[in-house]
Amino acid sequence: MRGQLPYLSCPLHEFRTNDLKDCVAARKRNGLTSRIAFVGDSRIRYLLELFLYVYRDLDLLITTFKGETVTPELFLGETGKEYWIKYKHHFFVKSTKLKDLKFEFFWAPVLQENRNPDEHRVAGARDLLEEWANSNETLPDMIVLDSGTWGLIISKQEPLDTLVNHGVEAMKKLAPVLAQLATRTTVIFQLPDPIFEFVHHQFTKSSYEQQTNAMMNWLLTAYANLHPPNVIVWDSFLPVAHQQREDCMKLIHYLKNLDTLPSYPSVPQKITWQCYERMHTGFEGLTIGLQMLINHICNPFVDRLDVCCNKQI
């Protein structure tokens, strides 16, 4: 669509590698770093994984939380899938060609709880966010958060109690620290994407039966209405996620074998499209979400005034 989405009043600019280099250099000239932190579950981690693919010519290196350095090819491919906890629990990304660009990811599927390195299902990041908020050190230039999905599977409570605890009560716990962080840096809370309810999760039904779009919409409403005013609620990606699901239905209808679709090198084919996967938007859709983030952080420093988040907006 050449960067023009029907529900946005301004077009997105597609940042290629040289554009990104110019952006990072311009930010540096204005005394700013280019460090982005992603905190949440795999839905938000996929955005950073996609960055590893799209900008792989920047010679990116990933350092795991155990100090091991791996290449994007290992990280994105079947090796990374096999060693998920080892590689993807927490990790840091840097470029040998663009040293001022840095990324970090912290696994926190239940965001409102504290970190728990011994139990990946209930790990949170509230204490990490509090450390950042109370630190005198330079914060990431952007903190991108998400939550919700895992909160619907770890609880044995009744559905309404689960929704209250992981929606209303969660935001009560998070709101003070998010408000504090938002006075010093950009904080973005990504709302949960819709899921493919009709796709079997291949886990025990009793653990995942509360993961429905009705439950997700309740959480979405809680996050959207109870967040602190300075925190940006990222809802503009939701139409893209819905559209990709419609595209998947058409692809399934017209193609007998989705494996014939083009896929990204070094990435498992199914991740490119995710038409038979319940929980994630595929890389084809996420490319727009990634460009939204880069537009937000870069466009105030580019000369074009016809794009979103430019110098005049």
Side-chain angles (χ1 to χ4, degrees), residues 246-287:
E246 290 187 23
D247 291 344
C248 279
M249 294 177 189
K250 295 175 183 176
L251 289 170
I252 292 170
H253 175 73
Y254 288 109
L255 292 177
K256 293 182 179 179
N257 182 8
L258 294 192
D259 291 339
T260 61
L261 291 169
S263 62
Y264 296 158
S266 305
V267 177
Q269 196 272 351
K270 291 183 177 179
I271 292 179
T272 303
W273 300 93
Q274 295 286 34
C275 287
Y276 289 122
E277 209 270 0
R278 179 181 174 88
M279 299 306 300
H280 300 94
T281 300
F283 276 14
E284 275 295 293
L286 286 177
T287 55

Side-chain angles (χ1 to χ4, degrees), residues 55-87:
Y55 298 103
R56 58 194 181 281
D57 53 350
L58 287 174
D59 288 345
L60 300 168
L61 292 176
I62 301 101
T63 302
T64 71
F65 72 104
K66 293 190 175 185
E68 182 178 358
T69 300
V70 296
T71 63
E73 289 73 23
L74 283 177
F75 187 91
L76 294 173
E78 295 296 332
T79 302
K81 184 178 179 181
E82 180 180 357
Y83 296 102
W84 178 86
I85 292 181
K86 180 180 178 182
Y87 283 180

Side-chain angles (χ1 to χ4, degrees), residues 3 12-17 19-20 47 50-51 54-55 234 237 285-299 308-309:
L12 295 174
H13 175 60
E14 182 182 357
F15 277 82
R16 301 182 183 276
T17 301
D19 298 323
L20 190 59
L47 282 167
L50 178 61
F51 182 94
V54 173
Y55 298 103
W234 188 9
F237 181 69
L286 286 177
T287 55
I288 297 175
L290 178 62
Q291 290 299 331
M292 285 182 175
L293 287 179
I294 297 176
N295 272 247
H296 186 85
I297 202 169
C298 286
N299 284 356
C308 295
C309 308

Side-chain angles (χ1 to χ4, degrees), residues 42-58:
S42 58
R43 290 181 161 204
I44 208 163
R45 189 191 71 227
Y46 267 28
L47 282 167
L48 185 45
E49 291 195 26
L50 178 61
F51 182 94
L52 296 176
Y53 172 79
V54 173
Y55 298 103
R56 58 194 181 281
D57 53 350
L58 287 174

Side-chain angles (χ1 to χ4, degrees), residues 28-270:
K28 187 174 183 179
R29 287 195 298 270
N30 284 271
L32 298 173
T33 59
S34 298
R35 173 188 168 200
I36 302 177
F38 295 83
V39 186
D41 59 24
S42 58
R43 290 181 161 204
I44 208 163
R45 189 191 71 227
Y46 267 28
L47 282 167
L48 185 45
E49 291 195 26
L50 178 61
F51 182 94
L52 296 176
Y53 172 79
V54 173
Y55 298 103
R56 58 194 181 281
D57 53 350
L58 287 174
D59 288 345
L60 300 168
L61 292 176
I62 301 101
T63 302
T64 71
F65 72 104
K66 293 190 175 185
E68 182 178 358
T69 300
V70 296
T71 63
E73 289 73 23
L74 283 177
F75 187 91
L76 294 173
E78 295 296 332
T79 302
K81 184 178 179 181
E82 180 180 357
Y83 296 102
W84 178 86
I85 292 181
K86 180 180 178 182
Y87 283 180
K88 303 187 180 185
H89 215 247
H90 311 308
F91 60 92
F92 305 88
V93 179
K94 63 180 181 180
S95 165
T96 60
K97 293 184 177 180
L98 199 55
K99 297 185 183 299
D100 294 305
L101 183 67
K102 298 179 181 179
F103 296 89
E104 51 207 279
F105 171 78
F106 298 90
W107 174 252
V110 189
L111 192 63
Q112 69 271 21
E113 302 301 330
N114 290 331
R115 284 170 288 185
N116 188 342
D118 298 322
E119 178 51 77
H120 74 275
R121 293 185 68 182
V122 295
R126 184 159 53 107
D127 56 340
L128 170 66
L129 299 175
E130 289 172 348
E131 286 180 12
W132 280 345
N134 296 317
S135 172
N136 293 324
E137 297 181 359
T138 303
L139 296 178
D141 299 272
M142 178 187 290
I143 301 173
V144 190
L145 311 162
D146 83 326
S147 190
T149 309
W150 283 71
L152 299 180
I153 66 173
I154 65 173
S155 175
K156 296 181 180 180
Q157 299 172 321
E158 291 299 315
L160 182 57
D161 293 331
T162 299
L163 289 172
V164 169
N165 287 332
H166 293 284
V168 177
E169 295 300 324
M171 194 51 72
K172 283 184 179 179
K173 290 182 178 180
L174 291 169
V177 64
L178 295 183
Q180 191 175 354
L181 283 168
T183 63
R184 298 175 56 196
T185 189
T186 300
V187 179
I188 297 177
F189 202 107
Q190 183 184 25
L191 297 182
D193 300 348
I195 62 175
F196 270 1
E197 293 179 310
F198 53 83
V199 177
H200 180 49
H201 209 308
Q202 298 180 347
F203 292 97
T204 56
K205 183 179 179 182
S206 60
S207 298
Y208 290 84
E209 61 187 3
Q210 293 188 22
Q211 283 185 327
T212 66
N213 279 322
M215 298 282 276
M216 296 290 283
N217 286 338
W218 203 101
L219 292 178
L220 182 153
T221 303
Y223 297 146
N225 285 281
L226 301 176
H227 71 283
N230 290 340
V231 172
I232 298 172
V233 172
W234 188 9
D235 59 357
S236 56
F237 181 69
L238 291 177
V240 178
H242 281 283
Q243 183 61 52
Q244 177 162 339
R245 279 148 182 77
E246 290 187 23
D247 291 344
C248 279
M249 294 177 189
K250 295 175 183 176
L251 289 170
I252 292 170
H253 175 73
Y254 288 109
L255 292 177
K256 293 182 179 179
N257 182 8
L258 294 192
D259 291 339
T260 61
L261 291 169
S263 62
Y264 296 158
S266 305
V267 177
Q269 196 272 351
K270 291 183 177 179

